[in-house]
């Protein structure tokens, strides 16, 4: 601290001020945006690596701001989590995804799975599982068509509580996956207890296929998942080399820019209807 002069302090305080300002602006406009339907849900296809078929999609939220243009989730999800706005936002996301599932079912795409991202704060809501059950019934959506992704680090905030809610969600019949796996330091004993169906390998491990250190981890995660009878999904797949590697090591599913970015619902439906494959 004694190396910090007055100027440094001013620099930090100006920067802090700007961060606080942006935060307050975001908070105010975010709650309005949710009410006024500025949020958009896009869907990134998930591909079965054995058949090349699109078997599902991950719903990713975007904010179509009237002045600022498209704002990516990394800029507002953290604010939404801190302020609690993630709860109404998350409810909207689930509602919207259920609407998409209903539309796809009407097109005969009965086995299609849509995954939504959940924050730990949503899981901690009173009667989350019960309310989710009601939402599914209201839309006439089969629970097995909905998948919930929770990051490993959020699960590990309060692993015992998470375990309870995950059990209720599992009983409801939805699919569960641990997102960003490998970055959250869960112990193997926890992993074995969580009643999940999939683990998603964080994209940082696939980053550079020439880089052996990372690939050792990817292989180890695939083997670990399979030993625990889980399906393993790789995210952030961008190259043919990565696909070849994942196929060789029997990874189950992949998503990434190599195949497709997140798409509007109608474009996704067309892709599935055409049976476009990897
Ligand atoms: P995530 O759940 O890990 O989502 C994957 C992110 O990686 C997405 O960014 C996706 O567009 C991006 N991605 C996909 N393929 C590739 C690729 O090949 N290369 C690279 N470099 N990136 C790829 P996006 O859409 O900006 O979302 C960022 C994060 O925001 C998500 O990370 C998730 O944590 C959060 N998020 C998005 N939607 C929601 C939501 O509805 N609820 C909550 N709670 N969080 C959300
Ligand atoms: Ca995710
Ligand atoms: Ca992820
Ligand atoms: Ca992530």
């Amino acid at each position: 601290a004694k190396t910090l002069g007055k100027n440094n302090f001013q620099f930090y305080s100006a920067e802090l001020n700007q961060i606080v300002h942006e935060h307050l602006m975001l908070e105010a406009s975010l709650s309005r945006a949710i009410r006024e339907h500025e949020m958009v849900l896009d869907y990134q296809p998930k591909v079965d690596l054995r058949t090349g078929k699109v078997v599902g999609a991950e719903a990713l939220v975007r904010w179509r701001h009237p002045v600022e243009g498209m704002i990516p989730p990394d800029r507002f999800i953290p604010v939404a989590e801190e302020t609690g706005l993630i709860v109404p936002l998350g409810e909207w996301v689930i509602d919207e995804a259920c609407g998409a599932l209903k539309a796809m079912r009407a097109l005969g795409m009965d086995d299609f799975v849509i995954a939504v991202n959940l924050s730990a704060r949503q899981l901690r809501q009173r009667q989350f599982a019960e309310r989710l059950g009601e939402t599914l019934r209201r839309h006439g959506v089969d629970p097995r068509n909905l998948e919930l992704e929770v990051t490993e680090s959020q699960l590990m905030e309060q692993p015992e509580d998470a375990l309870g809610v995950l059990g209720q969600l599992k009983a409801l019949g939805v699919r569960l996956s641990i997102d960003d796996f490998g970055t959250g330091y869960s112990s193997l004993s926890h992993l074995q207890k969580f009643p999940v169906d999939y683990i998603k390998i964080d994209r940082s491990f696939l980053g550079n296929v020439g880089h052996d250190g990372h690939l050792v981890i990817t292989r180890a995660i695939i083997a670990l998942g399979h030993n625990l009878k889980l399906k393993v999904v790789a995210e952030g797949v961008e190259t043919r080399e990565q696909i070849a590697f994942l196929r060789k090591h029997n990874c189950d599913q992949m998503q990434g820019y190599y195949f497709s970015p997140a798409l509007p619902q109608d474009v996704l439906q067309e892709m599935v209807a055409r049976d476009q494959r990897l």
Side-chain angles (χ1 to χ4, degrees):
K2 72 176 174 243
T3 55
L4 290 182
K6 190 163 178 271
N7 289 334
N8 275 322
F9 175 72
Q10 278 170 346
F11 169 75
Y12 285 126
S13 110
E15 190 167 272
L16 197 65
N17 198 19
Q18 199 199 325
I19 290 168
V20 169
H21 180 71
E22 174 165 320
H23 192 106
L24 288 174
M25 279 208 353
L26 270 175
E27 184 177 343
S29 49
L30 192 54
S31 61
R32 179 190 45 82
I34 298 167
R35 285 196 312 271
E36 301 194 352
H37 311 291
E38 289 172 17
M39 296 297 163
V40 188
L41 209 53
D42 281 348
Y43 299 88
Q44 184 174 39
K46 289 189 186 180
V47 175
D48 181 312
L49 277 161
R50 217 168 31 79
T51 61
K53 230 175 129 72
V54 179
V55 290
E58 176 178 5
L60 294 158
V61 70
R62 281 92 182 76
W63 180 359
R64 192 179 287 147
H65 193 282
V67 182
E68 311 259 327
M70 216 48 134
I71 305 180
D74 287 335
R75 273 189 53 210
F76 62 86
I77 292 288
V79 179
E81 283 180 349
E82 279 167 50
T83 55
L85 285 169
I86 194 70
V87 171
L89 177 59
E91 280 170 3
W92 176 82
V93 167
I94 290 170
D95 230 60
E96 190 74 10
C98 285
L101 280 172
K102 194 175 169 185
M104 294 186 80
R105 168 168 287 262
L107 293 170
M109 301 160 184
D110 299 7
D111 295 325
F112 202 79
V113 175
I114 292 182
V116 300
N117 290 284
L118 281 192
S119 105
R121 191 140 178 178
Q122 284 174 274
L123 281 183
R124 284 198 291 269
Q125 288 291 297
R126 211 186 291 274
Q127 286 152 354
F128 177 75
E130 205 177 303
R131 291 194 348 232
L132 179 66
E134 278 162 23
T135 305
L136 289 164
R137 277 192 298 278
R138 177 159 47 81
H139 285 277
V141 165
D142 189 333
R144 71 187 179 84
N145 292 121
L146 183 71
E147 176 184 335
L148 305 174
E149 297 188 4
V150 189
T151 67
E152 184 187 23
S153 46
Q154 298 218 28
L155 283 177
M156 292 311 292
E157 280 173 17
Q158 284 160 346
E160 297 308 323
D161 294 352
L163 193 58
V165 190
L166 292 185
Q168 293 168 7
L169 291 168
K170 193 71 224 163
L172 203 60
V174 297
R175 301 179 196 233
L176 301 173
S177 64
I178 304 183
D179 201 357
D180 298 352
F181 187 80
T183 62
Y185 309 103
S186 58
S187 68
L188 291 179
S189 66
H190 279 119
L191 185 58
Q192 203 174 17
K193 272 191 265 169
F194 286 141
V196 298
D197 307 283
Y198 307 86
I199 50 181
K200 297 186 76 177
I201 307 174
D202 190 71
R203 71 167 175 267
S204 60
F205 296 119
L206 264 178
N208 187 349
V209 152
H211 201 296
D212 287 344
H214 285 180
L215 288 185
V216 168
I217 296 176
T218 300
R219 272 169 64 179
I221 294 176
I222 296 171
L224 174 66
H226 287 165
N227 280 325
L228 292 170
K229 307 267 185 296
L230 307 175
K231 296 231 188 270
V232 182
V233 183
E235 62 176 16
V237 177
E238 295 180 350
T239 68
R240 292 168 55 177
E241 289 74 20
Q242 289 171 330
I243 303 263
F245 178 86
L246 293 167
R247 281 199 166 124
K248 183 169 161 214
H249 295 286
N250 298 315
C251 186
D252 300 284
Q253 293 179 14
M254 74 84 158
Q255 60 183 107
Y257 297 158
Y258 180 79
F259 184 72
S260 172
L263 307 168
Q265 187 189 328
D266 56 337
V267 180
L268 173 79
Q269 281 173 196
E270 258 171 57
M271 177 185 262
V272 177
R274 276 201 319 271
D275 195 19
Q276 186 180 321
R277 296 192 184 214
L278 173 69

